[in-house]
Amino acid sequence: EVFKMSATEYRLLMVFIRNKNKTVDREDLKSECWVDGKVTDNSLNRHIHSLRSKLKKAVANKVVLETVYGEGFKLNVIDKL
């Protein structure tokens, strides 16, 4: 399914795809997705929440954007069983 996303959501998704099934910490996301790396945790959380919602609608049960508490975020890609 096709869905719209912001440029920041797209950059986040590309980082997660490059690191699928691996935890990416907040600082890496900030430095890779924002030009100067300066972004608040609240802003990052809002972008992650928005991306997570869009992925859930588009590819439910195939992709899960997980919060790894104390570490960062992980894009889990579920292979066909």
Side-chain angles (χ1 to χ4, degrees), residues 23-59:
T23 301
V24 182
D25 70 37
R26 290 177 170 275
E27 295 309 311
D28 288 340
L29 289 171
K30 289 176 182 180
S31 66
E32 290 195 47
C33 297
W34 281 267
V35 175
D36 58 5
K38 293 182 181 180
V39 62
T40 65
D41 282 344
N42 187 45
S43 182
L44 175 61
N45 289 342
R46 281 186 286 126
H47 282 92
I48 294 286
H49 176 77
S50 178
L51 178 59
R52 183 180 281 142
S53 295
K54 291 174 183 180
L55 288 173
K56 190 174 184 178
K57 289 178 186 175
V59 289

Side-chain angles (χ1 to χ4, degrees), residues 57-75:
K57 289 178 186 175
V59 289
N61 301 323
K62 296 188 188 314
V63 173
V64 176
L65 185 51
E66 172 187 3
T67 299
V68 181
Y69 292 98
E71 294 184 38
F73 302 93
K74 180 179 6 176
L75 182 72

